[in-house]
Amino acid sequence: MTGAGQPGFAGAVIRLEDMAKTYRIGEVDVHALRRVSLTIERGGFWAILGPSGSGKSTLMNLIGCLDRPTSGRYWLDGANVEDLEDDELSAYRLRHLGFVFQSFNLIPQLTVRENIELPMYYRGTPPAESVKRAEHLAELVGLSDRLAHRPVELSGGQCQRVAIARALANDPPVILADEPTGNLDSRTGEQIMEMLCGLHREGRTLILVTHESRVAGYAEKRLWLKDGAVERIEGGAA
Amino acid sequence: MILRGVVRNLRLGVKDILLHKTRSLLTTLGVVFGVGSVIAMLAVGEGASQDALAEIRKVGSNNIIIQAQKDIDDESSGRQRTRMSIYGLKYEDEARIREMGSAIRRTVPVRLMRRDARVGDRKLELRVVGTVQGWFDLVPRRIVAGRVLRTSDTEQNARVCVLTETGARRLLAGAHILGEKILISRQYFEVVGIVESGTGGRNIAVPDEEVDAYIPMSTQLQLFGEVNARITSGSFEIEKVELHQILVEIDGDELVEPMAKAIEAMLRAFHTRKDYKMNVPLALLRQAEKTKRTFNIVLGSIAGISLLVGGIGIMNIMLASVTERTREIGVRRAIGARRGQIILQFLIETMVLAGSGGLVGVGVGMLIPALITRFSGMPTVVPLYSLFLSFGISVAIGLVFGIYPAVRAARLDPIVALRHE
Ligand SMILES: Nc1ncnc2c1ncn2[C@@H]1O[C@H](COP(=O)(O)OP(=O)(O)OP(=O)(O)O)[C@@H](O)[C@H]1O
Ligand SMILES: [Mg+2]
């Protein structure tokens, strides 16, 4: 956990080196991301900003081990992950990362309880433990009384709270949120941001993509992307 | 761990089916009828064999029964008032069969007449069976009282008879039965024994009937001769038949059919007309096999086609389901589900869908044989194993046809899947 293989980055939970992602569409290369190098320290709170199409989601997907870079290297929690097998990447997502999406992405046919339990199920947590933790997490996000409900019976804010509870199920050190407030009104968005800030205060690394400078204001560091490259980083040296 | 996954996915699969009841039912129709046909097929086969076995048990599988038969030519030419027909099996036939080798364990000659029997003022038409003691070895029936015929009865032309239980009950009505004298065609016979009544066969010549009187053949010949006269609807029929039946016991199952062929060849050589009929009970089994095969082909094809169509239908609906749930698959993958776990999920869902069709099919499968029996009279027996087997087949169909959709689901790129609308 201290990055034994990478002595220089003992405090870094995420380290990108010359990460590039290029999509080839017909004859044209689309450079979604151009040689981005980045170190995110353990317990950091980063906001990624930039105009539409600047590569924010592409970067998040790479950090989230959902995508593979065209070139460059990536260390997550001290381990080099860009060459891992698909199953190993799944295991990294399962244990190290929690995702919060703009459109909540709860599974509609499952109840709130089942949605929260899903990551624990994939991890093989014993049912009794999983049930207890799901109840604890539901309480944490203030939805103890909604455990048996289905996502369609919840408001947007409630859905996002379930999604946060689900992201926390396996107690991951890193939370990734791609425009978590994008589908919420500003008051609900603020509640969600408060909740996410709480996770950061607990010591988790939090990375979020946003368009809103008000949301970005919660972060310790702000990274601006432009045309797939880092334009500037605010709030202290990277 | 896997077990837990299976149970969980099972539950979700059932939930999903209940959510789309009509769709699921329509999708699984092929499997329903496929499974039904498999059960029907096995039920018809089982029914045919059990029926044949039950029939054969009445006669004994090692026996061959040769019956005298008035041939058709003879029958149609007789428009005159009085006819004399000479036909049937000869004493020499029996002798020749007996000499055919060690495969013949024994032969029993049988002469039949229909006569009225009287006791006091009670009257009953009997089939009088003139035979020898060996009859009771080849047609073993429980002895209700007294004894069966003995060799000494034949030697002494004894005037004794053995009745069947039904005949005895009707004729003697329970009054001191053994030792009672009954009058058959003005001749007194002493009742020495009573045996269980035969029930007759449906597809097979069973030697005994419900109301028989067995007397020594020697006595019969002495008292009644070989000529049978009979008046039926104004015409006078005279028959001269030496033997009405010859029962042959063969030494060993595997020799029954070759020996039947040999006997028939011999009879053909010595008889100018075909005035006899071979009955080989064991051949019934072959007949049952044939029925079974025919039904297997018909129902097997229906089952095969239904299952194939059903399987493809299920695969189709599962492919649609994968597309419909692309985003869900993306979410599961993002959370950390391995490809194998996605495959497991969809495989089990498909198996639950197919298996639910299988369950309905088991119901249909129990109904079809009942209908077959009702409308065609063919005996059917649904063997218990066929229910499990056909249900297993339906689940296997789900497994086979679920692989492709499941693999498709697992192959989805998580990012593409997540972006799917
Ligand atoms: N699968 C893909 N195939 C081809 N091009 C892609 C693909 N995904 C992204 N791109 C391109 O990469 C660039 C970056 O896209 P990305 O989704 O990262 O932008 P973004 O910053 O998240 O934008 P937004 O704020 O609108 O969400 C865009 O030009 C986009 O067209
Ligand atoms: Mg985006």
Side-chain angles (χ1 to χ4, degrees):
Chain A
M1 291 294 270
T2 53
Q6 296 294 315
F9 311 106
V13 68
I14 286 165
R15 159 114 184 122
L16 308 181
E17 226 177 70
D18 291 335
M19 279 275 248
K21 181 77 190 177
T22 308
Y23 293 103
R24 195 171 177 85
I25 294 170
E27 296 290 293
V28 193
D29 279 344
V30 178
H31 297 282
L33 216 58
R34 311 168 193 257
R35 301 170 67 80
V36 171
S37 295
L38 189 64
T39 303
I40 296 177
E41 67 286 5
R42 188 171 303 282
F45 182 176
W46 287 60
I48 300 172
L49 297 115
S52 187
S54 58
K56 304 185 294 293
S57 294
T58 305
L59 180 59
M60 279 298 257
N61 289 338
L62 286 168
I63 292 173
C65 297
L66 285 166
D67 205 354
R68 290 164 191 277
T70 312
S71 65
R73 311 204 66 193
Y74 176 20
W75 289 268
L76 173 61
D77 243 352
N80 193 230
V81 295
E82 81 261 359
D83 292 328
L84 291 182
E85 295 288 320
D86 193 85
D87 276 2
E88 293 169 309
L89 283 182
S90 295
Y92 263 93
R93 292 197 293 270
L94 192 61
R95 285 148 202 272
H96 296 259
L97 305 169
F99 290 89
V100 177
F101 303 92
Q102 176 175 357
S103 49
F104 324 133
N105 279 340
L106 300 178
I107 295 177
Q109 69 269 31
L110 301 184
T111 62
V112 166
R113 178 196 292 281
E114 288 164 336
N115 266 291
I116 298 174
E117 281 190 75
L118 203 56
M120 294 184 273
Y121 158 67
Y122 283 128
R123 191 174 181 167
T125 309
E129 198 185 318
S130 158
V131 164
K132 245 175 66 190
R133 179 144 178 87
E135 279 165 10
H136 168 72
L137 289 170
E139 200 180 313
L140 208 71
V141 298
L143 288 173
S144 297
D145 52 341
R146 293 286 197 278
L147 278 168
H149 287 236
R150 272 166 215 287
V152 285
E153 298 157 8
L154 302 180
S155 70
Q158 287 171 327
C159 280
Q160 199 59 304
R161 274 141 71 187
V162 175
I164 290 171
R166 182 178 66 184
L168 291 173
N170 284 332
D171 198 17
V174 179
I175 303 286
L176 303 177
D178 195 342
E179 305 200 35
T181 60
N183 281 8
L184 302 173
D185 62 69
S186 54
R187 229 175 57 88
T188 317
E190 262 166 49
Q191 286 171 7
I192 294 297
M193 282 314 298
E194 283 302 333
M195 209 163 263
L196 289 171
C197 288
L199 301 183
H200 169 237
R201 279 194 296 275
E202 280 175 11
R204 287 177 222 272
T205 309
L206 182 61
I207 304 168
L208 60 85
V209 168
T210 183
H211 277 116
E212 301 164 67
S213 49
R214 208 158 43 82
V215 169
Y218 287 92
E220 293 172 343
K221 293 196 177 167
R222 281 164 288 281
L223 176 140
W224 267 271
L225 282 179
K226 196 181 177 197
D227 291 336
V230 179
E231 193 186 31
R232 64 193 155 98
I233 295 173
E234 254 181 22
Chain B
M1 200 78 71
I2 294 225
L3 185 73
R4 204 181 137 212
V6 168
V7 169
R8 187 187 179 98
N9 285 314
L10 267 177
R11 209 158 47 79
L12 289 180
V14 171
K15 246 178 164 176
D16 203 58
I17 285 172
L18 294 179
L19 213 61
H20 314 280
K21 285 189 199 76
T22 320
R23 190 179 85 175
S24 305
L25 183 71
L26 291 176
T27 309
T28 55
L29 226 48
V31 171
V32 168
F33 287 112
V35 163
S37 307
V38 169
I39 295 174
M41 177 174 91
L42 295 170
V44 168
E46 184 74 12
S49 342
Q50 279 195 13
D51 193 51
L53 281 175
E55 290 271 280
I56 287 165
R57 219 168 287 129
K58 289 182 193 161
V59 187
S61 61
N62 282 358
N63 295 351
I64 297 172
I65 300 162
I66 308 157
Q67 286 174 301
Q69 191 182 31
K70 229 191 261 186
D71 66 335
I72 300 112
D73 282 355
D74 198 48
E75 198 106 57
S76 57
S77 67
R79 214 180 298 143
Q80 66 267 57
R81 278 280 165 104
T82 305
R83 319 192 300 214
M84 168 86 172
S85 28
I86 302 171
Y87 69 95
L89 299 159
K90 306 280 181 237
Y91 302 120
E92 295 98 75
D93 289 335
E94 192 203 346
R96 278 191 287 264
I97 292 169
R98 207 181 306 126
E99 274 146 31
M100 280 175 81
S102 60
I104 308 290
R105 202 182 282 161
R106 83 180 102 206
T107 59
V108 173
V110 179
R111 286 186 45 77
L112 303 171
M113 327 181 290
R114 293 221 163 259
R115 287 290 189 278
D116 284 339
R118 285 169 201 280
V119 175
D121 49 2
R122 278 172 187 276
K123 195 175 113 180
L124 179 70
E125 196 194 62
L126 291 177
R127 190 179 73 147
V128 179
V129 180
T131 186
V132 297
Q133 169 267 337
W135 166 283
F136 298 95
D137 296 322
L138 263 68
V139 189
R141 297 288 181 261
R142 193 168 49 84
I143 297 170
V144 179
R147 62 170 177 89
V148 295
L149 296 180
R150 292 178 183 147
T151 324
S152 59
D153 295 330
T154 306
E155 284 160 1
Q156 298 159 11
N157 295 353
R159 295 195 176 197
V160 293
C161 75
V162 174
L163 294 180
T164 57
E165 209 176 354
T166 314
R169 192 163 358 94
R170 290 208 207 139
L171 196 59
L172 301 167
H176 34 77
I177 288 167
L178 290 183
E180 188 75 33
K181 292 266 197 310
I182 64 170
L183 203 55
I184 301 176
S185 275
R186 286 182 302 262
Q187 303 289 343
Y188 278 106
F189 283 83
E190 185 189 343
V191 177
V192 293
I194 291 163
V195 295
E196 190 187 0
S197 308
T199 48
R202 226 159 5 89
N203 304 314
I204 206 171
V206 175
D208 57 338
E209 284 183 4
E210 215 182 342
V211 185
D212 276 349
Y214 305 102
I215 61 174
M217 199 170 82
S218 56
T219 315
Q220 190 190 34
L221 281 170
Q222 187 192 44
L223 296 178
F224 306 110
E226 283 174 1
V227 178
N228 252 331
R230 205 185 161 98
I231 300 167
T232 39
S233 59
S235 71
F236 189 54
E237 276 184 53
I238 302 170
E239 290 187 342
K240 184 167 183 295
V241 176
E242 287 186 10
L243 292 175
H244 288 89
Q245 289 183 0
I246 301 172
L247 311 187
V248 184
E249 189 184 12
I250 306 293
D251 197 17
D253 272 358
E254 67 288 350
L255 293 174
V256 170
E257 280 171 289
M259 285 316 290
K261 280 218 182 70
I263 292 169
E264 192 162 17
M266 183 276 287
L267 290 175
R268 211 179 305 120
F270 286 93
H271 287 241
T272 49
R273 296 171 301 167
K274 184 160 177 8
D275 51 359
Y276 55 86
K277 183 167 176 273
M278 302 288 298
N279 281 290
V280 187
L282 203 65
L284 258 198
L285 265 190
R286 187 140 307 168
Q287 185 60 40
E289 288 295 321
K290 231 167 96 188
T291 314
K292 216 165 158 174
R293 248 195 319 275
T294 316
F295 265 79
N296 280 2
I297 290 168
V298 174
L299 290 170
S301 318
I302 294 176
I305 292 167
S306 301
L307 288 174
L308 184 71
V309 169
I312 291 171
I314 283 175
M315 183 164 79
N316 192 33
I317 218 78
M318 287 313 288
L319 284 173
S321 170
V322 167
T323 307
E324 209 171 87
R325 290 157 67 186
T326 298
R327 206 185 174 87
E328 172 191 334
I329 295 160
V331 174
R332 287 177 184 267
R333 294 281 281 131
I335 283 172
R338 278 179 274 113
R339 284 194 169 140
Q341 289 169 318
I342 300 292
I343 289 184
L344 183 71
Q345 178 192 344
F346 278 91
L347 264 189
I348 289 175
E349 271 185 37
T350 319
M351 276 155 58
V352 168
L353 185 62
S356 69
L359 275 187
V360 178
V362 165
V364 171
M366 296 202 287
L367 204 71
I368 296 174
L371 292 178
I372 290 179
T373 304
R374 176 132 192 214
F375 291 109
S376 76
M378 194 176 305
T380 52
V381 175
V382 178
L384 190 64
Y385 81 89
S386 73
L387 305 183
F388 294 101
L389 177 77
S390 54
F391 177 69
I393 289 176
S394 73
V395 175
I397 287 284
L399 179 66
V400 170
F401 288 91
I403 289 174
Y404 179 56
V407 168
R408 275 268 289 256
R411 285 260 175 86
L412 284 171
D413 180 345
I415 299 172
V416 175
L418 274 173
R419 218 185 284 131
H420 191 267
E421 278 315 307

